[in-house]
Amino acid sequence: MAAVAAAMRWRRRLLLLVLSAAELGASGTPQTPNILLLLMDDMGWGDLGVYGEPSRETPNLDRMAAQGMLFPNFYTASPLCSPSRAALLTGRLPIRNGFYTTNAQARNAYTPQEVVGGIPDTELLLPALLKRAGYVSKIVGKWHLGHRPQFHPLKHGFDEWFGSPNCHFGPYDNKARPNIPVYRDWEMVGRFYEEFPINPKTGEANLTQIYLQEALIFIKKQQAAQRPFFLYWAIDATHAPVYASRPFLGTSQRGRYGDAVREIDDSVGKILDLLQDLKMTENTFVFFTSDNGAALISAPRQGGSNGPFLCGKQTTFEGGMREPAIVWWPGRIPAGQGIDFCPGQNVSGVTTHTQEEHTKLPLIFHLGRDPGERYPLSFASTEYLSALRRITPVVQQHQEALVPGQPQLNVCNQAVMNWAPPGCEKLGKCLTPPESVPEKCSWPH
């Protein structure tokens, strides 16, 4: 509960920052700032050198932290891809914006193509808010808020898109299951593993380089036009199956996952260097984070590190909710600012807890003494009872004020998969969908 509240407080602050900037920009002074949101996919708290990763293979992100502000206690709103992204772009909890399910197993990340739902029209997303202030917005990479045409990001405030509606799973056979499409704005330009190849054996793919060029070109274009912009760079190289381009494969001490992280770090360095070359740094707010913790089910070869924290993606323990986060805005945010913290001790051999109901007596940990969440406070202890007394009114207040959105992840239908996305006719890539049979989604994990 505390983690979610902290996450939403930060999102509200970010929205307030944007609103304030927009109001100031409208009056002419100072100039409206550009905004870059660099969102990683399944990157863990312990994956960056500045957070203690021992191989120190992220020099550009470490430099970004040294020149900006590091957030060691930053939380996502959900330990899963889609709900966290919906919360990030709306500033609202997943249960409010509809990115949740009432089906028995709630731990889903909207990975199946057959999910019927998506981001509701009633939700106001950050790019739509920024459009009112004259911003041009682009999403590069993974959208994951609905793959059907009515959920297209250009219908929710973005002006440009290059990327995919879902993750790069596959390759599929395109008979029972089509490969995921890649879009340029309104139309499909190919599919993963076909026009945009990913070698499942070697992990080689040029996607990060393609996404990097999309970002650099967009920044140069908006700078030349003197228009404020919002760039949402949501790449997915650290989501299993991880990939990297040939120059980075085999270069990390951390295997293929480390290769992907090294390429991301190099790309972030090139983006920051371009901002400096174009003399845009004092007018550009850059925020780097991840959608959720590292996916330990993919470790050790395909997954990252959550540092000293327990568990990872799909769990609400610290490893699933606490994310790396860096803000960079030279001239506005003093270099080297942040919060002093002790990284705690490494906790080995702990991967999960029993799935028990703890609504009435929730597990409570003292993270200062126990960052790995190995030792919950005793239910009978004075410390536990004192903490519970402070937490209970907050939970009750939240429950009383909660107005749930319509759940979007309940219904599945094979007929809504990516059989014939817009633009498939030009490519000769349209596939025939099966009969429409809506059914309750099954979440086997």
Side-chain angles (χ1 to χ4, degrees), residues 281-315:
T281 56
E282 291 193 9
N283 194 44
T284 304
F285 174 90
V286 184
F287 182 60
F288 176 94
T289 190
S290 176
D291 59 352
N292 46 249
L296 299 187
I297 194 172
S298 307
R301 296 179 58 192
Q302 299 271 320
S305 167
N306 295 311
F309 303 118
L310 180 65
C311 295
K313 179 180 179 178
Q314 298 186 0
T315 79

PDB file of all heavy atoms in Angstrom, residues 281-315:
ATOM      1  N   THR A 281      19.953  21.154 -23.178  1.00  0.00           N
ATOM      2  CA  THR A 281      19.924  20.508 -21.871  1.00  0.00           C
ATOM      3  C   THR A 281      19.171  21.311 -20.816  1.00  0.00           C
ATOM      4  O   THR A 281      18.476  20.739 -19.982  1.00  0.00           O
ATOM      5  CB  THR A 281      21.352  20.240 -21.377  1.00  0.00           C
ATOM      6  OG1 THR A 281      22.081  21.474 -21.356  1.00  0.00           O
ATOM      7  CG2 THR A 281      22.059  19.264 -22.293  1.00  0.00           C
ATOM      8  N   GLU A 282      19.303  22.625 -20.851  1.00  0.00           N
ATOM      9  CA  GLU A 282      18.655  23.417 -19.813  1.00  0.00           C
ATOM     10  C   GLU A 282      17.155  23.561 -20.053  1.00  0.00           C
ATOM     11  O   GLU A 282      16.447  24.115 -19.215  1.00  0.00           O
ATOM     12  CB  GLU A 282      19.310  24.796 -19.712  1.00  0.00           C
ATOM     13  CG  GLU A 282      20.728  24.741 -19.161  1.00  0.00           C
ATOM     14  CD  GLU A 282      21.258  26.106 -18.773  1.00  0.00           C
ATOM     15  OE1 GLU A 282      20.463  27.072 -18.779  1.00  0.00           O
ATOM     16  OE2 GLU A 282      22.449  26.202 -18.459  1.00  0.00           O
ATOM     17  N   ASN A 283      16.691  23.061 -21.195  1.00  0.00           N
ATOM     18  CA  ASN A 283      15.269  23.155 -21.489  1.00  0.00           C
ATOM     19  C   ASN A 283      14.658  21.780 -21.750  1.00  0.00           C
ATOM     20  O   ASN A 283      13.635  21.661 -22.407  1.00  0.00           O
ATOM     21  CB  ASN A 283      15.043  24.042 -22.724  1.00  0.00           C
ATOM     22  CG  ASN A 283      13.585  24.449 -22.858  1.00  0.00           C
ATOM     23  OD1 ASN A 283      12.943  24.825 -21.882  1.00  0.00           O
ATOM     24  ND2 ASN A 283      13.063  24.345 -24.063  1.00  0.00           N
ATOM     25  N   THR A 284      15.308  20.733 -21.206  1.00  0.00           N
ATOM     26  CA  THR A 284      14.808  19.380 -21.439  1.00  0.00           C
ATOM     27  C   THR A 284      14.863  18.568 -20.156  1.00  0.00           C
ATOM     28  O   THR A 284      15.932  18.371 -19.580  1.00  0.00           O
ATOM     29  CB  THR A 284      15.622  18.671 -22.542  1.00  0.00           C
ATOM     30  OG1 THR A 284      15.595  19.461 -23.733  1.00  0.00           O
ATOM     31  CG2 THR A 284      15.036  17.301 -22.840  1.00  0.00           C
ATOM     32  N   PHE A 285      13.714  18.094 -19.743  1.00  0.00           N
ATOM     33  CA  PHE A 285      13.559  17.271 -18.553  1.00  0.00           C
ATOM     34  C   PHE A 285      13.603  15.810 -18.981  1.00  0.00           C
ATOM     35  O   PHE A 285      12.799  15.377 -19.815  1.00  0.00           O
ATOM     36  CB  PHE A 285      12.223  17.601 -17.882  1.00  0.00           C
ATOM     37  CG  PHE A 285      11.859  16.733 -16.715  1.00  0.00           C
ATOM     38  CD1 PHE A 285      12.246  17.068 -15.432  1.00  0.00           C
ATOM     39  CD2 PHE A 285      11.087  15.586 -16.890  1.00  0.00           C
ATOM     40  CE1 PHE A 285      11.892  16.277 -14.346  1.00  0.00           C
ATOM     41  CE2 PHE A 285      10.730  14.792 -15.815  1.00  0.00           C
ATOM     42  CZ  PHE A 285      11.135  15.144 -14.540  1.00  0.00           C
ATOM     43  N   VAL A 286      14.544  15.028 -18.427  1.00  0.00           N
ATOM     44  CA  VAL A 286      14.696  13.622 -18.804  1.00  0.00           C
ATOM     45  C   VAL A 286      14.478  12.757 -17.565  1.00  0.00           C
ATOM     46  O   VAL A 286      15.080  12.999 -16.514  1.00  0.00           O
ATOM     47  CB  VAL A 286      16.094  13.344 -19.395  1.00  0.00           C
ATOM     48  CG1 VAL A 286      16.186  11.894 -19.874  1.00  0.00           C
ATOM     49  CG2 VAL A 286      16.396  14.299 -20.543  1.00  0.00           C
ATOM     50  N   PHE A 287      13.620  11.758 -17.708  1.00  0.00           N
ATOM     51  CA  PHE A 287      13.325  10.858 -16.592  1.00  0.00           C
ATOM     52  C   PHE A 287      13.511   9.430 -17.054  1.00  0.00           C
ATOM     53  O   PHE A 287      12.935   9.002 -18.064  1.00  0.00           O
ATOM     54  CB  PHE A 287      11.884  11.076 -16.104  1.00  0.00           C
ATOM     55  CG  PHE A 287      11.506  10.219 -14.927  1.00  0.00           C
ATOM     56  CD1 PHE A 287      12.205  10.312 -13.746  1.00  0.00           C
ATOM     57  CD2 PHE A 287      10.438   9.340 -14.997  1.00  0.00           C
ATOM     58  CE1 PHE A 287      11.858   9.529 -12.642  1.00  0.00           C
ATOM     59  CE2 PHE A 287      10.083   8.554 -13.907  1.00  0.00           C
ATOM     60  CZ  PHE A 287      10.794   8.648 -12.732  1.00  0.00           C
ATOM     61  N   PHE A 288      14.321   8.662 -16.330  1.00  0.00           N
ATOM     62  CA  PHE A 288      14.621   7.273 -16.655  1.00  0.00           C
ATOM     63  C   PHE A 288      14.086   6.370 -15.549  1.00  0.00           C
ATOM     64  O   PHE A 288      14.345   6.598 -14.365  1.00  0.00           O
ATOM     65  CB  PHE A 288      16.136   7.082 -16.770  1.00  0.00           C
ATOM     66  CG  PHE A 288      16.574   5.652 -17.004  1.00  0.00           C
ATOM     67  CD1 PHE A 288      16.796   5.192 -18.286  1.00  0.00           C
ATOM     68  CD2 PHE A 288      16.758   4.770 -15.946  1.00  0.00           C
ATOM     69  CE1 PHE A 288      17.197   3.877 -18.508  1.00  0.00           C
ATOM     70  CE2 PHE A 288      17.146   3.456 -16.155  1.00  0.00           C
ATOM     71  CZ  PHE A 288      17.373   3.014 -17.435  1.00  0.00           C
ATOM     72  N   THR A 289      13.354   5.309 -15.938  1.00  0.00           N
ATOM     73  CA  THR A 289      12.890   4.340 -14.945  1.00  0.00           C
ATOM     74  C   THR A 289      12.503   3.040 -15.653  1.00  0.00           C
ATOM     75  O   THR A 289      12.742   2.870 -16.850  1.00  0.00           O
ATOM     76  CB  THR A 289      11.716   4.899 -14.119  1.00  0.00           C
ATOM     77  OG1 THR A 289      11.455   4.022 -13.015  1.00  0.00           O
ATOM     78  CG2 THR A 289      10.472   5.061 -14.948  1.00  0.00           C
ATOM     79  N   SER A 290      11.904   2.121 -14.912  1.00  0.00           N
ATOM     80  CA  SER A 290      11.461   0.836 -15.454  1.00  0.00           C
ATOM     81  C   SER A 290       9.998   0.621 -15.101  1.00  0.00           C
ATOM     82  O   SER A 290       9.494   1.206 -14.133  1.00  0.00           O
ATOM     83  CB  SER A 290      12.315  -0.302 -14.881  1.00  0.00           C
ATOM     84  OG  SER A 290      11.864  -1.564 -15.318  1.00  0.00           O
ATOM     85  N   ASP A 291       9.326  -0.227 -15.883  1.00  0.00           N
ATOM     86  CA  ASP A 291       7.908  -0.448 -15.635  1.00  0.00           C
ATOM     87  C   ASP A 291       7.661  -1.295 -14.403  1.00  0.00           C
ATOM     88  O   ASP A 291       6.661  -1.141 -13.708  1.00  0.00           O
ATOM     89  CB  ASP A 291       7.217  -1.062 -16.855  1.00  0.00           C
ATOM     90  CG  ASP A 291       7.818  -2.397 -17.293  1.00  0.00           C
ATOM     91  OD1 ASP A 291       8.867  -2.796 -16.758  1.00  0.00           O
ATOM     92  OD2 ASP A 291       7.234  -3.044 -18.189  1.00  0.00           O
ATOM     93  N   ASN A 292       8.569  -2.244 -14.114  1.00  0.00           N
ATOM     94  CA  ASN A 292       8.432  -3.102 -12.931  1.00  0.00           C
ATOM     95  C   ASN A 292       9.782  -3.759 -12.677  1.00  0.00           C
ATOM     96  O   ASN A 292      10.744  -3.530 -13.407  1.00  0.00           O
ATOM     97  CB  ASN A 292       7.340  -4.160 -13.121  1.00  0.00           C
ATOM     98  CG  ASN A 292       7.395  -4.874 -14.445  1.00  0.00           C
ATOM     99  OD1 ASN A 292       6.526  -4.693 -15.299  1.00  0.00           O
ATOM    100  ND2 ASN A 292       8.427  -5.684 -14.655  1.00  0.00           N
ATOM    101  N   GLY A 293       9.862  -4.566 -11.632  1.00  0.00           N
ATOM    102  CA  GLY A 293      11.119  -5.195 -11.291  1.00  0.00           C
ATOM    103  C   GLY A 293      11.549  -6.256 -12.281  1.00  0.00           C
ATOM    104  O   GLY A 293      10.800  -6.645 -13.194  1.00  0.00           O
ATOM    105  N   ALA A 294      12.775  -6.717 -12.110  1.00  0.00           N
ATOM    106  CA  ALA A 294      13.317  -7.747 -12.987  1.00  0.00           C
ATOM    107  C   ALA A 294      12.508  -9.023 -12.877  1.00  0.00           C
ATOM    108  O   ALA A 294      12.025  -9.400 -11.807  1.00  0.00           O
ATOM    109  CB  ALA A 294      14.778  -8.015 -12.637  1.00  0.00           C
ATOM    110  N   ALA A 295      12.368  -9.716 -14.009  1.00  0.00           N
ATOM    111  CA  ALA A 295      11.596 -10.951 -14.068  1.00  0.00           C
ATOM    112  C   ALA A 295      12.483 -12.120 -13.656  1.00  0.00           C
ATOM    113  O   ALA A 295      13.251 -12.642 -14.470  1.00  0.00           O
ATOM    114  CB  ALA A 295      11.041 -11.164 -15.469  1.00  0.00           C
ATOM    115  N   LEU A 296      12.387 -12.530 -12.405  1.00  0.00           N
ATOM    116  CA  LEU A 296      13.271 -13.584 -11.912  1.00  0.00           C
ATOM    117  C   LEU A 296      12.961 -14.931 -12.534  1.00  0.00           C
ATOM    118  O   LEU A 296      13.824 -15.822 -12.551  1.00  0.00           O
ATOM    119  CB  LEU A 296      13.164 -13.672 -10.389  1.00  0.00           C
ATOM    120  CG  LEU A 296      13.575 -12.398  -9.646  1.00  0.00           C
ATOM    121  CD1 LEU A 296      13.588 -12.635  -8.146  1.00  0.00           C
ATOM    122  CD2 LEU A 296      14.938 -11.900 -10.107  1.00  0.00           C
ATOM    123  N   ILE A 297      11.765 -15.095 -13.080  1.00  0.00           N
ATOM    124  CA  ILE A 297      11.451 -16.341 -13.773  1.00  0.00           C
ATOM    125  C   ILE A 297      12.336 -16.497 -15.008  1.00  0.00           C
ATOM    126  O   ILE A 297      12.553 -17.592 -15.503  1.00  0.00           O
ATOM    127  CB  ILE A 297       9.956 -16.385 -14.155  1.00  0.00           C
ATOM    128  CG1 ILE A 297       9.544 -17.797 -14.567  1.00  0.00           C
ATOM    129  CG2 ILE A 297       9.639 -15.387 -15.252  1.00  0.00           C
ATOM    130  CD1 ILE A 297       8.062 -17.968 -14.765  1.00  0.00           C
ATOM    131  N   SER A 298      12.878 -15.381 -15.510  1.00  0.00           N
ATOM    132  CA  SER A 298      13.756 -15.405 -16.678  1.00  0.00           C
ATOM    133  C   SER A 298      15.227 -15.498 -16.300  1.00  0.00           C
ATOM    134  O   SER A 298      16.082 -15.653 -17.176  1.00  0.00           O
ATOM    135  CB  SER A 298      13.543 -14.137 -17.516  1.00  0.00           C
ATOM    136  OG  SER A 298      12.193 -13.950 -17.837  1.00  0.00           O
ATOM    137  N   ALA A 299      15.542 -15.336 -15.027  1.00  0.00           N
ATOM    138  CA  ALA A 299      16.931 -15.339 -14.577  1.00  0.00           C
ATOM    139  C   ALA A 299      17.470 -16.772 -14.551  1.00  0.00           C
ATOM    140  O   ALA A 299      16.690 -17.726 -14.474  1.00  0.00           O
ATOM    141  CB  ALA A 299      17.021 -14.693 -13.195  1.00  0.00           C
ATOM    142  N   PRO A 300      18.807 -16.948 -14.588  1.00  0.00           N
ATOM    143  CA  PRO A 300      19.804 -15.882 -14.627  1.00  0.00           C
ATOM    144  C   PRO A 300      20.169 -15.415 -16.033  1.00  0.00           C
ATOM    145  O   PRO A 300      20.754 -14.346 -16.198  1.00  0.00           O
ATOM    146  CB  PRO A 300      21.016 -16.548 -13.962  1.00  0.00           C
ATOM    147  CG  PRO A 300      20.878 -17.994 -14.347  1.00  0.00           C
ATOM    148  CD  PRO A 300      19.410 -18.274 -14.368  1.00  0.00           C
ATOM    149  N   ARG A 301      19.834 -16.167 -17.077  1.00  0.00           N
ATOM    150  CA  ARG A 301      20.327 -15.831 -18.405  1.00  0.00           C
ATOM    151  C   ARG A 301      19.518 -14.726 -19.076  1.00  0.00           C
ATOM    152  O   ARG A 301      20.045 -13.962 -19.868  1.00  0.00           O
ATOM    153  CB  ARG A 301      20.314 -17.076 -19.294  1.00  0.00           C
ATOM    154  CG  ARG A 301      21.257 -18.174 -18.833  1.00  0.00           C
ATOM    155  CD  ARG A 301      21.187 -19.382 -19.740  1.00  0.00           C
ATOM    156  NE  ARG A 301      21.511 -19.032 -21.120  1.00  0.00           N
ATOM    157  CZ  ARG A 301      21.297 -19.839 -22.144  1.00  0.00           C
ATOM    158  NH1 ARG A 301      20.718 -21.005 -21.950  1.00  0.00           N
ATOM    159  NH2 ARG A 301      21.628 -19.460 -23.368  1.00  0.00           N
ATOM    160  N   GLN A 302      18.227 -14.639 -18.775  1.00  0.00           N
ATOM    161  CA  GLN A 302      17.353 -13.711 -19.492  1.00  0.00           C
ATOM    162  C   GLN A 302      16.756 -12.642 -18.584  1.00  0.00           C
ATOM    163  O   GLN A 302      15.921 -11.866 -19.045  1.00  0.00           O
ATOM    164  CB  GLN A 302      16.214 -14.495 -20.150  1.00  0.00           C
ATOM    165  CG  GLN A 302      16.653 -15.524 -21.168  1.00  0.00           C
ATOM    166  CD  GLN A 302      16.772 -14.940 -22.569  1.00  0.00           C
ATOM    167  OE1 GLN A 302      15.966 -14.136 -22.999  1.00  0.00           O
ATOM    168  NE2 GLN A 302      17.795 -15.355 -23.288  1.00  0.00           N
ATOM    169  N   GLY A 303      17.160 -12.618 -17.318  1.00  0.00           N
ATOM    170  CA  GLY A 303      16.565 -11.669 -16.388  1.00  0.00           C
ATOM    171  C   GLY A 303      17.597 -10.840 -15.662  1.00  0.00           C
ATOM    172  O   GLY A 303      18.779 -11.182 -15.626  1.00  0.00           O
ATOM    173  N   GLY A 304      17.143  -9.727 -15.057  1.00  0.00           N
ATOM    174  CA  GLY A 304      18.034  -8.794 -14.388  1.00  0.00           C
ATOM    175  C   GLY A 304      18.134  -9.028 -12.899  1.00  0.00           C
ATOM    176  O   GLY A 304      17.832 -10.106 -12.387  1.00  0.00           O
ATOM    177  N   SER A 305      18.545  -7.969 -12.190  1.00  0.00           N
ATOM    178  CA  SER A 305      18.790  -8.043 -10.757  1.00  0.00           C
ATOM    179  C   SER A 305      17.928  -7.029 -10.021  1.00  0.00           C
ATOM    180  O   SER A 305      17.822  -5.872 -10.443  1.00  0.00           O
ATOM    181  CB  SER A 305      20.271  -7.769 -10.462  1.00  0.00           C
ATOM    182  OG  SER A 305      20.475  -7.540  -9.081  1.00  0.00           O
ATOM    183  N   ASN A 306      17.340  -7.458  -8.918  1.00  0.00           N
ATOM    184  CA  ASN A 306      16.598  -6.543  -8.041  1.00  0.00           C
ATOM    185  C   ASN A 306      17.397  -6.176  -6.801  1.00  0.00           C
ATOM    186  O   ASN A 306      16.838  -5.761  -5.785  1.00  0.00           O
ATOM    187  CB  ASN A 306      15.255  -7.179  -7.660  1.00  0.00           C
ATOM    188  CG  ASN A 306      14.356  -7.356  -8.869  1.00  0.00           C
ATOM    189  OD1 ASN A 306      14.170  -6.420  -9.645  1.00  0.00           O
ATOM    190  ND2 ASN A 306      13.823  -8.548  -9.063  1.00  0.00           N
ATOM    191  N   GLY A 307      18.725  -6.333  -6.901  1.00  0.00           N
ATOM    192  CA  GLY A 307      19.592  -5.952  -5.798  1.00  0.00           C
ATOM    193  C   GLY A 307      19.288  -6.760  -4.550  1.00  0.00           C
ATOM    194  O   GLY A 307      19.093  -7.975  -4.613  1.00  0.00           O
ATOM    195  N   PRO A 308      19.214  -6.098  -3.409  1.00  0.00           N
ATOM    196  CA  PRO A 308      18.992  -6.827  -2.153  1.00  0.00           C
ATOM    197  C   PRO A 308      17.528  -7.141  -1.872  1.00  0.00           C
ATOM    198  O   PRO A 308      17.218  -7.741  -0.855  1.00  0.00           O
ATOM    199  CB  PRO A 308      19.540  -5.851  -1.106  1.00  0.00           C
ATOM    200  CG  PRO A 308      19.248  -4.508  -1.686  1.00  0.00           C
ATOM    201  CD  PRO A 308      19.454  -4.655  -3.176  1.00  0.00           C
ATOM    202  N   PHE A 309      16.636  -6.750  -2.780  1.00  0.00           N
ATOM    203  CA  PHE A 309      15.218  -6.814  -2.461  1.00  0.00           C
ATOM    204  C   PHE A 309      14.593  -8.141  -2.869  1.00  0.00           C
ATOM    205  O   PHE A 309      15.009  -8.786  -3.825  1.00  0.00           O
ATOM    206  CB  PHE A 309      14.485  -5.645  -3.113  1.00  0.00           C
ATOM    207  CG  PHE A 309      15.042  -4.317  -2.705  1.00  0.00           C
ATOM    208  CD1 PHE A 309      15.602  -3.462  -3.636  1.00  0.00           C
ATOM    209  CD2 PHE A 309      15.056  -3.951  -1.365  1.00  0.00           C
ATOM    210  CE1 PHE A 309      16.147  -2.257  -3.247  1.00  0.00           C
ATOM    211  CE2 PHE A 309      15.601  -2.742  -0.972  1.00  0.00           C
ATOM    212  CZ  PHE A 309      16.142  -1.891  -1.913  1.00  0.00           C
ATOM    213  N   LEU A 310      13.548  -8.506  -2.149  1.00  0.00           N
ATOM    214  CA  LEU A 310      12.905  -9.806  -2.313  1.00  0.00           C
ATOM    215  C   LEU A 310      12.065  -9.883  -3.580  1.00  0.00           C
ATOM    216  O   LEU A 310      11.340  -8.964  -3.920  1.00  0.00           O
ATOM    217  CB  LEU A 310      12.024 -10.098  -1.099  1.00  0.00           C
ATOM    218  CG  LEU A 310      11.268 -11.436  -1.096  1.00  0.00           C
ATOM    219  CD1 LEU A 310      12.241 -12.596  -1.052  1.00  0.00           C
ATOM    220  CD2 LEU A 310      10.305 -11.508   0.075  1.00  0.00           C
ATOM    221  N   CYS A 311      12.176 -11.035  -4.255  1.00  0.00           N
ATOM    222  CA  CYS A 311      11.331 -11.361  -5.398  1.00  0.00           C
ATOM    223  C   CYS A 311      11.497 -10.366  -6.542  1.00  0.00           C
ATOM    224  O   CYS A 311      12.525  -9.716  -6.659  1.00  0.00           O
ATOM    225  CB  CYS A 311       9.873 -11.493  -4.961  1.00  0.00           C
ATOM    226  SG  CYS A 311       9.608 -12.870  -3.833  1.00  0.00           S
ATOM    227  N   GLY A 312      10.499 -10.261  -7.408  1.00  0.00           N
ATOM    228  CA  GLY A 312      10.623  -9.416  -8.579  1.00  0.00           C
ATOM    229  C   GLY A 312       9.282  -9.246  -9.250  1.00  0.00           C
ATOM    230  O   GLY A 312       8.233  -9.230  -8.597  1.00  0.00           O
ATOM    231  N   LYS A 313       9.319  -9.128 -10.570  1.00  0.00           N
ATOM    232  CA  LYS A 313       8.111  -8.930 -11.363  1.00  0.00           C
ATOM    233  C   LYS A 313       7.027  -9.933 -10.962  1.00  0.00           C
ATOM    234  O   LYS A 313       7.313 -11.071 -10.634  1.00  0.00           O
ATOM    235  CB  LYS A 313       8.454  -9.101 -12.842  1.00  0.00           C
ATOM    236  CG  LYS A 313       7.284  -8.947 -13.790  1.00  0.00           C
ATOM    237  CD  LYS A 313       7.720  -9.122 -15.227  1.00  0.00           C
ATOM    238  CE  LYS A 313       6.539  -8.986 -16.189  1.00  0.00           C
ATOM    239  NZ  LYS A 313       6.962  -9.097 -17.599  1.00  0.00           N
ATOM    240  N   GLN A 314       5.784  -9.487 -11.008  1.00  0.00           N
ATOM    241  CA  GLN A 314       4.582 -10.242 -10.656  1.00  0.00           C
ATOM    242  C   GLN A 314       4.338 -10.306  -9.156  1.00  0.00           C
ATOM    243  O   GLN A 314       3.337 -10.873  -8.730  1.00  0.00           O
ATOM    244  CB  GLN A 314       4.613 -11.675 -11.219  1.00  0.00           C
ATOM    245  CG  GLN A 314       4.657 -11.740 -12.730  1.00  0.00           C
ATOM    246  CD  GLN A 314       4.548 -13.152 -13.263  1.00  0.00           C
ATOM    247  OE1 GLN A 314       4.437 -14.109 -12.501  1.00  0.00           O
ATOM    248  NE2 GLN A 314       4.573 -13.298 -14.564  1.00  0.00           N
ATOM    249  N   THR A 315       5.213  -9.724  -8.333  1.00  0.00           N
ATOM    250  CA  THR A 315       4.981  -9.720  -6.892  1.00  0.00           C
ATOM    251  C   THR A 315       5.001  -8.289  -6.372  1.00  0.00           C
ATOM    252  O   THR A 315       5.642  -7.415  -6.957  1.00  0.00           O
ATOM    253  CB  THR A 315       6.045 -10.527  -6.126  1.00  0.00           C
ATOM    254  OG1 THR A 315       7.248  -9.744  -5.986  1.00  0.00           O
ATOM    255  CG2 THR A 315       6.373 -11.825  -6.837  1.00  0.00           C
TER     256      THR A 315
END
